[in-house]
C-alpha cells in the first residue's frame, strides 16, 4: 500500500483505495465521527468568520468556554466559518449526543449563558433559536424548523458553499471525511491533463470573476502552449465594494480551494501555483497557510504526489489592495514584483503570462467548482442552471435588505427570488429601487429587471455583467445620481493612470456628476452653462472611455453612469433642470427652511453656519438666505427645537 510521507492517516489511505472501495471499519467509524454523525460528547459550533468576529464572536467564544468551565461540562468547541447568514451573527450551534445540531442566532456574549442553560436542560429558548440540522438516527427538536425550510436557504443550491459554516476549516480530516481531495486523487491516477481540460470544457463552467469566459477553453489554450514551465494563479484579490464571497469561502472551507487549484494545475501541466490575496484578509490568509501546510504534511502537495509522478507547489502572495490588481495582467505584474498595471492583450496570459510563461488566472469561486465537477461528472454540473450558464452562482448580498449575507443559487434564479425570498425583502417596509451588480464598474438595474434570471447573456442584455458576485440592494431613500458619483469616485481613485481615456475620462465624468449634484455658486463665471455642457457630453464621453481604454476595468468604468442614465434618467433631469434631489441625499441641492413658529432665536444656527447664510436677531425668528446656503445641513443638525426642515 502506498503511504503518504508524513502520515498513515486512515482517511488518506481511504482516498488511495477509493477505486477499490475498500475501507476499514475503523476508518468508517472515524469518518462518521468527523462528519458529526456519531458523537460521544457535546459539540458547540461558533461562527468565527470575519463577519462573526465583527459581530462579537470573540466574546461569545470566551463566554462559551467560561460556561463550560463553570458547569464542568466536557464539550468540544469548534470555530467554523460563516454559513452565509451574516445578519444573524454571532451564530452558535449546539449538538448534544443523540440529538440534532441546533442553531441559535445573534448569540452575543451576554446571551450565551441563557442559551446554553436552556439547551443543556433539553429546552429551546424560542427567542434565540434559528433552525436545526437533521441527521439520521438523531432525535429531532420539536417545533424547531429544519434549516433547508428557512426562506434564506430553501431557494439556495449549495455546491461551492456546501461545507461553509458546518465544518471546522482548520481540520483537513473533516474535509477528507466529506469526500475532500477525492477528485484530485482521481484525476492524477486516472486521467491525462488533456482529459481533465475536456471534462471541464464539457461541463460548461464559465469564469465566475468577470465576463464569464469558458474555463475549459482557457485551460486548453495554456495546455496546448508549449513551455518548460506553466503557472496557475488563483485570483483572491476581492476588491469590489460590498463583495466578500472569496473571503468567506476561504475562511469557511480553504481545502476546497486548494483542491480546485491542484486539479486545475494538473490540467494545464503547471507545477507551481500562486494564490494572490489582499492583505485586508488576515484571517483568510491565516487559514490558507494552515491548510496548505496540512496538505503538504498529508502528501497532497509537494514532490511526486502519491507516486503519480506529478508535483505541485503552492505559494501565497499577499497584495497591497489595489483595485486594478483584480485585472489579470496587473495581478501578474504584481506577483512578479512590479507595479500593478495592466498590459495590452494579446498575447493573453494563457499564452504568455507570469514570468513570460503560459499562465491560467481563475478566481476563487471558479476553482472551488472544479472538485465537484470531477467527482460527480460534467453532465451532473451541466444539468444545473440554464442552457448557456451552468451550475450555481454565489452572491454577497448587502444594502437595504432584511437578511444580508452570502447565498448560492442555481443559474436561472430570478433576482426577485434572491431579493424578496432569500434576503427577505427591503427592510423597514421601504420600496425597492435598484440593484447594483458587477462591482463598481457594474450596472444599476431598476424594478423592471427583477425577473431577469441569473444568466450571463440575460444580464448582459440589460447592460450589466455578472462580475464576481457583489449584489447591493437600494431602497427608495437612495439617490441614483449620488450612487453613480460614488462609484465613479471609487473608480477614478483606483485607476492605475496608465492610459489617458481611463485616467482623464473618469476624472471628467466625476466632475460632471459633482456639478449636477450642487447648485452653481457663481453664475458670473458661467457655471450654469458649463454644467449643461458637461451633461450634454456625459454619454459621449462614456462611450469614448469604453471604446479606447487599455484594460477591462477601464472599458467598464462608465457602466455606473450609463446604467443609471438608462434606468433613472428622470432623476438626472430633476437634478439638472429642477435642481432637486428627490431622496434628499445630495447636500448641494438641499433646501433648508426655518419654521418661524418654532424658532426661538437662540442664534445657535446663525453662529454655526459656515456660509453666513442665516440672518436674524436674538430671541426673534431667523431666516435662511437661499442664495448663500451651501446645503451643508449644519443648521439642521444643531437646532434643538426642530425648527429647521429640509426638502
Amino acid at each position: 500500500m502506498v503511504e503518504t510521507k508524513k502520515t498513515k492517516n486512515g482517511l488518506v489511505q481511504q482516498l488511495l483505495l477509493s477505486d477499490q472501495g475498500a475501507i476499514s471499519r475503523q476508518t468508517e467509524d472515524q469518518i462518521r465521527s468527523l462528519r458529526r454523525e456519531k458523537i460521544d460528547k457535546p459539540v458547540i459550533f461558533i461562527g468565527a468568520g470575519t463577519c462573526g468576529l465583527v459581530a462579537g464572536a470573540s466574546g461569545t467564544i470566551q463566554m462559551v468556554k467560561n460556561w463550560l468551565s463553570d458547569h464542568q461540562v466536557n464539550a468540544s468547541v469548534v470555530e467554523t466559518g460563516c454559513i452565509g447568514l451574516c445578519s444573524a451573527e454571532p451564530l452558535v450551534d449546539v449538538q448534544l449526543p443523540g440529538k440534532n445540531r441546533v442553531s441559535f442566532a445573534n448569540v452575543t456574549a451576554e446571551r450565551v449563558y441563557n442559551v446554553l442553560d436552556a439547551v443543556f436542560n433539553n429546552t429551546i429558548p424560542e427567542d434565540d433559536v434559528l433552525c436545526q440540522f437533521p441527521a439520521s438516527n438523531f432525535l429531532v427538536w420539536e417545533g424547531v424548523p429544519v434549516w433547508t425550510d428557512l426562506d434564506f436557504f430553501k431557494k439556495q443550491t449549495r455546491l461551492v458553499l456546501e461545507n461553509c459554516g458546518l465544518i471546522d476549516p482548520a481540520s483537513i480530516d473533516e474535509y477528507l471525511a466529506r469526500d475532500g481531495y477525492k477528485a484530485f486523487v482521481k484525476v492524477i491516477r486516472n486521467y491525462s491533463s488533456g482529459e481533465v481540460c475536456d471534462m471541464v470544457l464539457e461541463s460548461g463552467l464559465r469564469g465566475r470573476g468577470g465576463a464569464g469566459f469558458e474555463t475549459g477553453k482557457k485551460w486548453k489554450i495554456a495546455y496546448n502552449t508549449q513551455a518548460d514551465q506553466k503557472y496557475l494563479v488563483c485570483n483572491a484579490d476581492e476588491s469590489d465594494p460590498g463583495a466578500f464571497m472569496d473571503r468567506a469561502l476561504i475562511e469557511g472551507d480553504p481545502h476546497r480551494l486548494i483542491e480546485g487549484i491542484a486539479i486545475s494545475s494538473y490540467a494545464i501541466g503547471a507545477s507551481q501555483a500562486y494564490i494572490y490575496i489582499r492583505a485586508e484578509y488576515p484571517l483568510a490568509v491565516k487559514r490558507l497557510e494552515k491548510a496548505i501546510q496540512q496538505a503538504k504534511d498529508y502528501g497532497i502537495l509537494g514532490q511526486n504526489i502519491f507516486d503519480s509522478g506529478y508535483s505541485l507547489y503552492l505559494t501565497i502572495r499577499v497584495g497591497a489592495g489595489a483595485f486594478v490588481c483584480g485585472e489579470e495582467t496587473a495581478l501578474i505584474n504584481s506577483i512578479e514584483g512590479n507595479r500593478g498595471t495592466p498590459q495590452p492583450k494579446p498575447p493573453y496570459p494563457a499564452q504568455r503570462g507570469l514570468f513570460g510563461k503560459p499562465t491560467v488566472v481563475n478566481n476563487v469561486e471558479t476553482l472551488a467548482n472544479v472538485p465537484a465537477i470531477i467527482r460527480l461528472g460534467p453532465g451532473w454540473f451541466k444539468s444545473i442552471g440554464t442552457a448557456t450558464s451552468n451550475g450555481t452562482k454565489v452572491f454577497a448580498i448587502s444594502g437595504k435588505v432584511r437578511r444580508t449575507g452570502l447565498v448560492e443559487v442555481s443559474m436561472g434564479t430570478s433576482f426577485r427570488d434572491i431579493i424578496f425570498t432569500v434576503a427577505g425583502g427591503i427592510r423597514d417596509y421601504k420600496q425597492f429601487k435598484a440593484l447594483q451588480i458587477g462591482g463598481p464598474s457594474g450596472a444599476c438595474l431598476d424594478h423592471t429587471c427583477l425577473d431577469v434570471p441569473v444568466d450571463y447573456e440575460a444580464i448582459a442584455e440589460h447592460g450589466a455583467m455578472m462580475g464576481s458576485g457583489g449584489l447591493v440592494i437600494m431602497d427608495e431613500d437612495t439617490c441614483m445620481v449620488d450612487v453613480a458619483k460614488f462609484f465613479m469616485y471609487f473608480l477614478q481613485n483606483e485607476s492605475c493612470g496608465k492610459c489617458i481615456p481611463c485616467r482623464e475620462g473618469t476624472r471628467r465624468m466625476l466632475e460632471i456628476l459633482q456639478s449636477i449634484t450642487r447648485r452653481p455658486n457663481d453664475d458670473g463665471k458661467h457655471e450654469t452653462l458649463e454644467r449643461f455642457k458637461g451633461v450634454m457630453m456625459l454619454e459621449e464621453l462614456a462611450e469614448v472611455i469604453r471604446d479606447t481604454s487599455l484594460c477591462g476595468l477601464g472599458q467598464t468604468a462608465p457602466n455606473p453612469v450609463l446604467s443609471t442614465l438608462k434606468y433613472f434618467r428622470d432623476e438626472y433631469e430633476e437634478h439638472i433642470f429642477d435642481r432637486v434631489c428627490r431622496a434628499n441625499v445630495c447636500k448641494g441641492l438641499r433646501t433648508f427652511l426655518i419654521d418661524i413658529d418654532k424658532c426661538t432665536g437662540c442664534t445657535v444656527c446663525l453662529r454655526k453656519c459656515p456660509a453666513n447664510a442665516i440672518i436674524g436677531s436674538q430671541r426673534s425668528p431667523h431666516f435662511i438666505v437661499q442664495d448663500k446656503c451651501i446645503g451643508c445641513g449644519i443648521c439642521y443638525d444643531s437646532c434643538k427645537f426642530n425648527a429647521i426642515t429640509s426638502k
Side-chain angles (χ1 to χ4, degrees), residues 170-486:
S171 170
I172 189 174
D173 288 345
E174 287 200 29
Y175 183 69
L176 290 168
R178 294 173 181 264
D179 294 330
Y181 291 112
K182 264 192 172 183
F184 178 49
V185 174
K186 179 179 178 180
V187 300
I188 63 174
R189 298 181 70 189
N190 298 293
Y191 298 103
S192 67
S193 295
E195 288 173 330
V196 179
C197 290
D198 290 336
M199 290 173 69
V200 172
L201 185 61
E202 182 186 348
S203 74
L205 176 65
R206 298 172 67 169
R208 298 301 197 247
F213 189 79
E214 289 184 72
T215 303
K217 187 176 291 186
K218 183 186 285 190
W219 289 10
K220 290 284 278 188
I221 294 171
Y223 170 72
N224 290 324
T225 302
Q226 297 298 316
D228 58 353
Q229 177 65 279
K230 298 177 183 180
Y231 297 101
L232 188 287
V233 176
C234 170
N235 181 359
D237 189 58
E238 190 172 47
S239 53
D240 294 355
F244 46 92
M245 301 78 60
D246 295 352
R247 185 200 73 207
L249 176 59
I250 293 170
E251 291 175 355
D253 195 8
H255 285 286
R256 177 179 291 272
L257 175 59
I258 293 172
E259 184 175 13
I261 290 171
I263 295 169
S264 306
S265 300
Y266 176 78
I268 66 171
S271 59
Q272 175 68 56
Y274 291 90
I275 300 175
Y276 187 86
I277 186 169
R278 54 186 36 231
E280 290 94 329
Y281 288 176
L283 181 59
V285 172
K286 178 181 176 182
R287 289 186 176 170
L288 269 178
E289 288 173 342
K290 183 168 185 178
I292 291 171
Q293 187 57 54
Q294 288 175 336
K296 289 178 180 177
D297 292 343
Y298 277 43
I300 295 168
L301 294 176
Q303 183 73 26
N304 191 20
I305 300 168
F306 297 143
D307 289 339
S308 64
Y310 177 65
S311 302
L312 177 63
Y313 302 92
L314 180 56
T315 305
I316 296 174
R317 284 285 186 268
V318 179
F323 175 73
V324 73
C325 285
E327 198 277 336
E328 58 183 4
T329 59
L331 182 153
I332 287 171
N333 268 344
S334 181
I335 292 177
E336 292 177 344
N338 302 318
R339 184 184 177 193
T341 54
Q343 299 298 315
K345 293 183 286 189
Y348 293 94
Q351 300 164 314
R352 189 175 186 275
L354 187 62
F355 305 119
K357 306 296 183 180
T359 304
V360 165
V361 181
N362 287 137
N363 87 327
V364 171
E365 186 184 347
T366 307
L367 295 167
N369 272 290
V370 173
I373 292 173
I374 300 299
R375 195 171 69 247
L376 301 173
W380 162 83
F381 187 81
K382 203 166 186 176
S383 68
I384 303 169
T386 67
T388 57
S389 300
N390 305 128
T392 62
K393 183 71 190 79
V394 178
F395 288 101
I397 302 180
S398 59
K400 302 299 183 68
V401 286
R402 291 190 175 96
R403 292 187 288 267
T404 57
L406 207 63
V407 304
E408 183 178 5
V409 296
S410 298
M411 293 286 192
T413 304
S414 70
F415 287 115
R416 186 182 300 276
D417 280 340
I418 296 173
I419 296 168
F420 291 96
T421 300
V422 178
I426 309 303
R427 64 172 180 244
D428 300 327
Y429 303 100
K430 301 280 187 177
Q431 292 296 312
F432 168 84
K433 187 167 191 178
L435 65 91
Q436 198 271 347
I437 185 172
S441 54
C444 296
L445 308 178
D446 71 355
H447 68 279
T448 63
C449 302
L450 282 173
D451 292 313
V452 172
V454 175
D455 177 278
Y456 287 98
E457 279 68 33
I459 292 174
E461 286 175 6
H462 289 77
M465 62 179 182
M466 188 85 73
S468 59
L471 196 61
V472 183
I473 312 303
M474 304 167 213
D475 67 9
E476 61 192 71
D477 294 333
T478 305
C479 171
M480 300 311 299
V481 181
D482 184 66
V483 168
K485 184 173 70 171
F486 167 80

Side-chain angles (χ1 to χ4, degrees), residues 603-633:
T603 73
V604 171
C605 61
L606 184 150
R607 287 183 278 112
K608 289 192 175 183
C609 178
N612 296 318
I614 299 177
I615 59 174
S617 57
Q618 194 169 14
R619 296 183 182 178
S620 297
H622 289 19
F623 299 91
I624 299 176
V625 180
Q626 296 300 331
D627 289 342
K628 290 185 177 182
C629 179
I630 60 174
C632 65

Side-chain angles (χ1 to χ4, degrees), residues 591-601 605-606 613-616 620-626 635-636 639 641-646:
T591 299
F592 290 94
L593 301 172
I594 296 178
D595 186 339
I596 60 175
D597 293 329
K598 293 182 179 180
C599 180
T600 63
C605 61
L606 184 150
I614 299 177
I615 59 174
S620 297
H622 289 19
F623 299 91
I624 299 176
V625 180
Q626 296 300 331
C635 58
Y636 180 87
C639 182
F641 304 100
N642 297 321
I644 300 178
T645 57
S646 171

Side-chain angles (χ1 to χ4, degrees), residues 32-48:
R32 289 188 61 206
S33 177
L34 288 166
R35 291 173 65 95
R36 317 292 179 189
E37 295 170 356
K38 175 184 177 183
I39 62 171
D40 53 12
K41 65 179 181 180
V43 184
I44 300 174
F45 306 85
I46 303 166

